[in-house]
């Protein structure tokens, strides 16, 4: 089981390196179900692992010119602040025992995993639905940037990251392509930088609230970082259009989800 757990840890980095997201969706279940970490502590560990791994990936993409610093800054105005405030004040305020109905007791650990499961189902459902839609070949590079909507997305992604330790890559990628107009590989690189900033600053909000096993955390992080180099290598072997199809870019338009197509880099 331990060997499988460490292999799964490598998949965290591979996912981040290949598609710029999905690492945090893997991290919390790996920590909870394979390593036996409590759910709330797992969200904290996830922030550090995903943040550190994403930072390495963002640096590699920056050297290749695939990171938009301006876009990362715009997101950072809202998402990073939201993550920090959520981890610093909201998470500690959640009671360990929330409510009891008969013999069933809703604890913070159960609530965390239920919300995480809802997040995973919502993400997978959106991807499946988008894959059934006809491709829309509209090019968004000339589209005016919608700053209010961008800031609202930043707050939403920051809250999800802070509450569940999820970096929000599966939300960031379509946002960067559809609202900002980035090409796929630049969206991947920029997503990694935003995830790194969100996660690491969010983790600082946890310091003092949890007893951190730094040796274990460093070990898992190192394995995930190795994985991101593997994912980055695979990313170089796949052109932008094929990579785009694998991550099912989501377009939220009037409540409908459309599959979006862009020209390859």
């Amino acid at each position: 089981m331990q060997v499988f757990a460490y292999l799964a840890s490598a998949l965290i980095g591979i996912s981040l390196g290949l598609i710029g997201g999905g690492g945090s969706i893997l991290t919390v279940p790996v920590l909870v179900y394979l390593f036996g970490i409590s759910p709330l502590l797992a969200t904290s560990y996830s922030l550090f692992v995903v943040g550190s791994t994403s930072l390495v990936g963002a640096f590699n993409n920056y050297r290749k010119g695939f990171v938009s610093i301006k876009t990362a800054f715009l997101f950072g105005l809202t998402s990073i602040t939201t993550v920090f405030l959520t981890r610093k004040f909201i998470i500690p305020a959640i009671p360990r025992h929330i409510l009891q109905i008969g013999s069933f007791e809703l604890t913070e650990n159960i609530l965390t995993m239920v919300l995480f499961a809802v997040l995973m189902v919502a993400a997978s459902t959106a991807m499946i639905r988008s894959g059934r839609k006809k491709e829309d070949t509209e090019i968004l590079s000339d589209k005016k940037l919608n700053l209010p909507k961008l800031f609202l997305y930043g707050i939403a992604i920051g809250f999800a990251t802070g509450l569940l330790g999820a970096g929000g890559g599966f939300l960031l990628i379509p946002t960067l392509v559809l609202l900002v107009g980035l090409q796929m590989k630049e969206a991947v690189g920029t997503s990694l930088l935003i995830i790194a900033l969100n996660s690491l600053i969010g983790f600082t909000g946890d310091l003092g609230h949890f007893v951190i096993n730094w040796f274990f955390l460093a070990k898992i992080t190192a394995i995930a970082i190795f994985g991101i180099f593997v994912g980055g290598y695979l990313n170089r072997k796949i052109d932008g259009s094929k990579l785009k199809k694998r991550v099912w870019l989501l377009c939220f338009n009037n409540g409908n989800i459309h599959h979006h197509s862009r020209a390859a880099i």
Side-chain angles (χ1 to χ4, degrees):
M1 179 63 74
Q2 286 289 307
V3 173
F4 181 72
Y6 288 122
L7 288 175
S9 301
L11 291 177
I12 296 168
I14 293 173
S15 173
L16 287 166
L18 183 59
I19 62 175
S24 55
I25 290 292
L26 296 172
T27 307
V28 172
V30 167
L31 291 172
V32 172
Y33 296 115
L34 299 183
F35 286 107
I37 306 296
S38 67
L40 203 59
L41 181 59
T43 65
S44 180
Y45 281 11
S46 174
L47 290 173
F48 184 85
V49 173
V50 173
S52 301
T53 308
S54 298
L55 188 61
V56 174
F59 178 73
N60 288 336
N61 279 274
Y62 177 76
R63 292 189 305 169
K64 302 169 189 174
F66 291 146
V67 175
S68 171
I69 300 296
K70 177 183 176 181
T71 301
F73 175 75
L74 288 174
F75 256 95
L77 290 176
T78 52
S79 64
I80 294 173
T81 303
T82 304
V83 172
F84 180 81
L85 293 177
T86 300
R87 298 303 299 190
K88 188 69 175 179
F89 299 108
I90 296 179
I91 294 298
I94 298 176
R96 291 186 177 274
H97 304 281
I98 300 172
L99 61 87
Q100 186 162 353
I101 302 175
S103 60
F104 173 76
E105 182 179 12
L106 179 63
T107 65
E108 62 177 354
N109 286 336
I110 294 176
L111 178 63
T112 298
M113 295 312 295
V114 167
L115 292 176
F116 198 88
V118 170
L119 181 67
M120 294 180 71
V121 170
S124 60
T125 301
M127 291 178 191
I128 293 170
R129 289 181 60 188
S130 67
R132 292 173 180 169
K133 300 293 182 179
K134 183 179 178 181
E135 286 196 352
D136 179 1
T137 56
E138 176 190 7
I139 301 299
L140 298 178
S141 57
D142 296 328
K143 183 177 179 179
K144 185 178 179 181
L145 186 62
N146 190 329
L147 286 177
K149 185 176 286 189
L150 191 65
F151 290 151
L152 287 175
Y153 269 73
I155 292 173
I157 292 171
F159 185 71
T161 300
L163 185 63
L164 301 174
F170 69 95
L171 294 173
L172 276 171
I173 296 294
T175 301
L176 294 175
V177 172
L178 301 172
L179 291 185
V180 183
L182 298 184
Q183 290 186 328
M184 185 58 204
K185 288 193 176 181
E186 188 177 12
V188 169
T190 305
S191 170
L192 288 172
L193 179 57
I194 296 170
I195 291 171
L197 295 174
N198 281 348
S199 300
L200 290 176
I201 292 178
F203 179 77
T204 64
D206 283 344
L207 298 178
H209 296 311
F210 298 103
V211 177
I212 307 296
N213 184 338
W214 289 104
F215 176 74
F216 171 79
L217 197 53
K219 183 167 55 175
I220 299 302
T221 302
I223 295 172
I225 288 175
F226 168 78
I228 206 167
F229 283 107
V230 176
Y233 173 79
L234 295 175
N235 181 286
R236 292 193 298 271
K237 300 299 181 181
I238 303 174
D239 66 45
S241 59
K242 290 181 180 178
L243 183 59
K244 166 204 62 190
K245 292 176 183 178
R246 289 169 186 256
V247 297
W248 303 118
L249 288 181
L250 308 181
C251 176
F252 297 92
N253 181 18
N254 296 324
N256 295 319
I257 303 176
H258 300 281
H259 188 62
H260 180 79
S261 175
R262 287 205 48 143
I265 295 175

